[in-house]
Amino acid sequence: MTLVEVKNLQHLFFSNKDYTTALHDVNFTVQAGEFVSFIGPSGCGKSTLLSILAGLIEPTAGTITYHTADPKIGYMLQQDYLFPWKTIEENILLGLKIAKKDDPKIVHDLLHAFQLSHTAPLYPSQLSGGMRQRIALARTLAIDPSLLLLDEPFSALDFYSKLLLENFVVKTLQQFQKTAILVTHDIEEAIAMSDKIYLFSHRPGTLIQTFIIPEAIRALPPFDARNHPEFQPLFQHIWKELEAHGYENIT
Amino acid sequence: MDTKTLHEQFNAHQKRARTKIKILQLLLLVCLFITWEMTTYYRILDPLIFSSPTAVFQLFISKISDGSLLPHIGVTLLETVIGFLLGTLMGTLIAISLWSSTTFAKVMDPYLVVLNAMPKVAIGPMILVIFGPNMMAVLVMATLISVIISTIVIFSAFQQVNENYIKIMQLFQANKFQLFRHVILPASTPTIISTLKVNVGLSWVGVIVGEFLVSSQGLGYLILSGFQVFNFNTVFLALCIIIVLATIMYKGVEMLERALLKKFNIG
Ligand SMILES: Nc1ncnc2c1ncn2[C@@H]1O[C@H](COP(=O)(O)OP(=O)(O)OP(=O)(O)O)[C@@H](O)[C@H]1O
Ligand SMILES: [Mg+2]
C-alpha cells in the first residue's frame, strides 16, 4: 500500500538578488511500513525535502499525496532538541497535550518499552546523548505518526552509541509498524537500516538512482547486517555508483 | 595522605583565601571612611561641602529618632520597586504583542529605536505637567526609563529562540499561544530575569530624577532640598542610604534570579 506519493516536486529559495533551486523534478513513492534512506551530496536539498514532506515548507511546485486520513508526521533531527525546561515525561507528553489527548499511560508505556522509565522525572541535561536521542524518538512516537522523518539523527553520536541506537530504532520502528525516511551521509548506515536507498544528485537535487536492499540483509538488525556476506559487495556497488556520478565523498 | 584529607586541606585553603579577600575589602571601606573623616576634620576638604561621616551619622540618628527620615525612605523604596516591576512587566507585555504580529513589530521598529535613543529624563518636565507633582509622575518616570529597553531586549530574546524548537511545535500543530507558553516564554525566562536586574538600577535613576522634579518627598527630594539650603549633611545622608538600599535590592534580585533559574532548570 502506498503511503505517500511525491510528484514533480520542485523547490526554489528566493532572496533579494538571487534564487536557489534546491529541488528539481523529484518523484518517488513510499510504501506503508517501508524504511527508505536518502543519500546524496551535501546541500543537494535532502533536509529541504523532509521539511516539505512535514508540511513546514510549501513547495514551489509539485504535489505530495498522503494516502491516509489525517497524516501525522514525526521528525527527528541531528540533535534531540528536547526542551531543557521540561522533564523527560513532560517532553514526551507535550505533543499529546497539544492534541488534547494527554494520557500519561502512553508516556509510561513508551518509557517502559524503551527501558528508560527511571528518567521520567529527570531533565534532558541529566541524560547522555544516546539516551536523549531515544527520548526524542519516544517523543516523536508518542503522537503515533503515520510517517517518521529522520534527518541524520545519529551523526552527533559517538560510534558505539550510534550502532546501539541504529539497532534500537530499527527494532522500535518494526515493533510499532512505522514508515520512515532516513537522511544520512553514511552509506553503511543506509544499507544496514533500510529497505530501499534513493540516491540524489548534486543541487538542484533530483532522484537519480534507487537501490533495493536484498531481503537477507533487511531481515537482520543493522549491527549484524554489516557482517552479512552480501553487505560489502553492495557497499562497493553503491560506492562505485557515487564515484561514477562525480562525488566520491558524499559527506 | 588520603583523598579525604587532601580535599579538606583544599577546602580550608579556599576558605582562608576567601576570608582574606573579605577582610581586605572591609579594610578598604574603613580606610575610605577614615580618610573622609580626617580630611574634613583637618579642613583639607571643606566640611561644609563634603560633610563628614560623624556629621552624617549624627544626622541619621536624630532624623531616625524624630521620625522624619523613614517616610522618605519608604516612599522612595516603594516607587523604585513598583517602577522596576512595572517596567519589566510592561516591557514583557509589549514584547509579546510585537512577537504575536510580525507586521506590528516591523511597523514599530523605527519608533522603538527612536524611543530607545531618546534620553527619557528629558521629558521629565512634560510628565510633571501631565501627571501633576505627585507620586504618579515619579512612577511614570521610573517605568518609562526601563520599559523601552526591556521591550527591545525581551523581544529579541523571543526572536532568538532556536528555530528547531519551533519546528517541533509546528509539527505538533501547536497554536501561537501554546508555542509561546511551552517554548518561547521558558526559553526567554533567563533574559527576562536579567532585564529585572538591569531595571533595578534604571528605576533608581528614574525615581531620583522624578523626585528632583516633583520635589515633595523621598530621598531624591532630600538631596535636592539639602542642596538648596546648602545643607550637605542631608545630601550625603540621602546618598549613603540610596547606595545601601540600591545594593541590597540588586543583591535581592540576583538571589531571585538564581532561585528562578534553578526552578526552571535553565542557566
Ligand atoms: N531557508 C533557506 N533559504 C535559502 N536557501 C536555503 C534555505 N534552506 C536551504 N537552502 C539552500 O538549499 C540547498 C539545499 O539545502 P538542504 O539543507 O536541504 O541540503 P541538505 O541536502 O540537507 O544538505 P546537508 O547534507 O549538508 O544537510 C542549499 O544550497 C541551501 O543553501
Ligand atoms: Mg541537511
Side-chain angles (χ1 to χ4, degrees):
Chain A
M1 193 190 88
T2 305
L3 178 70
V4 54
E5 205 172 343
V6 173
K7 267 200 195 134
N8 305 325
L9 198 73
Q10 180 178 8
H11 191 72
L12 310 179
F13 284 110
F14 295 101
S15 71
N16 284 340
K17 285 202 206 96
D18 209 359
Y19 66 90
T20 316
T21 312
L23 294 166
H24 175 70
D25 196 26
V26 176
N27 294 282
F28 65 90
T29 56
V30 178
Q31 308 297 314
E34 212 173 21
F35 193 118
V36 176
S37 287
F38 291 167
I39 58 175
S42 189
C44 73
K46 302 178 297 290
S47 298
T48 307
L49 180 55
L50 291 198
S51 291
I52 293 173
L53 285 171
L56 296 171
I57 308 180
E58 189 70 21
T60 324
T63 55
I64 296 164
T65 323
Y66 282 97
H67 296 280
T68 170
D70 183 27
K72 270 180 290 188
I73 315 295
Y75 208 147
M76 252 178 101
L77 302 160
Q78 187 170 354
Q79 277 159 38
D80 53 77
Y81 293 109
L82 295 174
F83 299 113
W85 46 84
K86 289 186 183 291
T87 62
I88 297 305
E89 184 175 6
E90 290 166 344
N91 262 291
I92 303 176
L93 193 63
L94 186 59
L96 293 165
K97 203 168 167 180
I98 286 165
K100 300 217 161 47
K101 280 185 241 159
D102 45 334
D103 178 0
K105 193 173 172 306
I106 298 177
V107 178
H108 292 155
D109 289 350
L110 266 171
L111 279 173
H112 185 74
F114 283 26
Q115 296 183 328
L116 285 168
S117 296
H118 61 286
T119 64
L122 301 180
Y123 284 93
S125 56
Q126 295 168 283
L127 270 55
S128 72
M131 277 165 127
R132 290 168 60 132
Q133 273 302 27
R134 278 190 281 161
I135 298 296
L137 180 64
R139 175 172 70 178
T140 312
L141 288 174
I143 56 162
D144 194 21
S146 349
L147 175 65
L148 257 112
L149 307 173
L150 312 167
D151 198 347
E152 304 182 40
F154 313 113
S155 55
L157 300 174
D158 61 90
F159 190 64
Y160 177 71
S161 311
K162 176 181 136 111
L163 290 182
L164 285 182
L165 200 61
E166 281 177 14
N167 264 9
F168 181 78
V169 167
V170 166
K171 194 185 85 193
T172 309
L173 293 188
Q174 276 167 0
Q175 187 186 335
F176 288 81
Q177 300 182 346
K178 291 294 170 203
T179 314
I181 298 177
L182 169 76
V183 166
T184 179
H185 279 136
D186 183 341
I187 306 170
E188 289 192 11
E189 182 174 290
I191 301 173
M193 292 184 75
S194 23
D195 303 320
K196 218 191 247 175
I197 299 176
Y198 288 142
L199 172 63
F200 279 77
S201 68
H202 275 295
R203 202 188 75 214
T206 188
L207 267 170
I208 47 175
Q209 207 160 355
T210 308
F211 304 97
I212 309 286
I213 309 300
E215 189 54 46
I217 297 180
R218 268 192 236 181
L220 295 172
F223 187 81
D224 302 310
R226 287 170 199 261
N227 295 321
H228 192 273
E230 286 182 49
F231 188 89
Q232 272 310 318
L234 182 58
F235 178 85
Q236 294 299 336
H237 172 60
I238 296 178
W239 186 258
K240 289 259 154 55
E241 290 295 327
L242 293 176
E243 274 183 338
H245 287 99
Y247 28 91
E248 19 216 275
N249 190 0
I250 61 162
T251 54
Chain B
M1 254 189 290
D2 62 326
T3 31
K4 197 160 171 242
T5 42
L6 275 175
H7 187 220
E8 272 163 14
Q9 267 182 11
F10 173 81
N11 275 345
H13 184 80
Q14 292 271 309
K15 201 171 167 204
R16 266 202 306 279
R18 274 200 300 272
T19 322
K20 195 171 125 194
I21 297 292
K22 280 264 157 2
I23 289 172
L24 285 175
Q25 285 170 337
L26 209 65
L27 217 62
L28 181 62
L29 185 70
V30 172
C31 281
L32 280 174
F33 272 95
I34 290 176
T35 317
W36 184 10
E37 182 70 38
M38 296 301 250
T39 47
T40 47
Y41 184 83
Y42 292 107
R43 312 227 152 217
I44 301 166
L45 292 175
D46 186 349
L48 268 183
I49 296 175
F50 289 95
S51 181
S52 76
T54 40
V56 170
F57 188 69
Q58 273 161 7
L59 186 68
F60 177 67
I61 297 296
S62 78
K63 270 188 171 292
I64 286 285
S65 31
D66 71 8
S68 63
L69 185 61
L70 280 179
H72 291 294
I73 295 180
V75 164
T76 301
L77 263 183
L78 188 70
E79 287 166 347
T80 313
V81 170
I82 295 179
F84 97 86
L85 288 180
L86 271 183
T88 317
L89 190 71
M90 283 170 57
T92 311
L93 290 179
I94 300 172
I96 292 174
S97 66
L98 291 172
W99 175 82
S100 58
S101 159
T102 322
T103 314
F104 182 51
K106 291 220 168 102
V107 171
M108 289 313 288
D109 182 62
Y111 293 92
L112 282 176
V113 172
V114 170
L115 283 175
N116 186 42
M118 182 187 71
K120 262 65 73 184
V121 294
I123 55 168
M126 285 297 299
I127 293 171
L128 193 66
V129 174
I130 297 171
F131 294 94
N134 52 43
M135 197 180 200
M136 193 62 196
V138 181
L139 285 180
V140 171
M141 188 78 247
T143 309
L144 200 66
I145 213 164
S146 56
V147 73
I148 305 293
I149 188 70
S150 304
T151 304
I152 292 174
V153 171
I154 294 170
F155 179 51
S156 87
F158 286 170
Q159 287 179 303
Q160 275 160 22
V161 173
N162 190 315
E163 61 176 315
N164 288 306
Y165 287 140
I166 300 171
K167 234 189 224 177
I168 285 162
M169 292 302 278
Q170 282 171 339
L171 286 168
F172 288 156
Q173 282 155 12
N175 60 31
K176 225 159 177 172
F177 172 72
Q178 289 165 326
L179 175 62
F180 183 79
R181 195 185 134 212
H182 292 290
V183 173
I184 306 293
L185 187 63
S188 313
T189 303
T191 310
I192 296 177
I193 295 169
S194 72
T195 60
L196 217 56
K197 222 158 63 178
V198 175
N199 289 349
V200 179
L202 288 176
S203 293
W204 275 100
V205 177
V207 164
I208 300 300
V209 170
E211 286 177 351
F212 279 0
L213 288 167
V214 171
S215 212
S216 64
Q217 53 184 352
L219 294 168
Y221 161 73
L222 278 190
I223 291 181
L224 196 75
S225 62
F227 165 71
Q228 278 161 352
V229 298
F230 236 68
N231 178 354
F232 278 89
N233 289 345
T234 315
V235 173
F236 273 95
L237 174 62
L239 209 56
C240 289
I241 295 173
I242 290 173
I243 290 171
V244 171
L245 291 180
T247 310
I248 291 175
M249 230 186 233
Y250 186 84
K251 282 282 166 197
V253 175
E254 219 173 44
M255 271 157 65
L256 183 78
E257 176 176 18
R258 270 204 292 276
L260 283 175
L261 289 184
K262 210 164 163 188
K263 180 162 178 281
F264 289 104
N265 193 50
I266 27 192

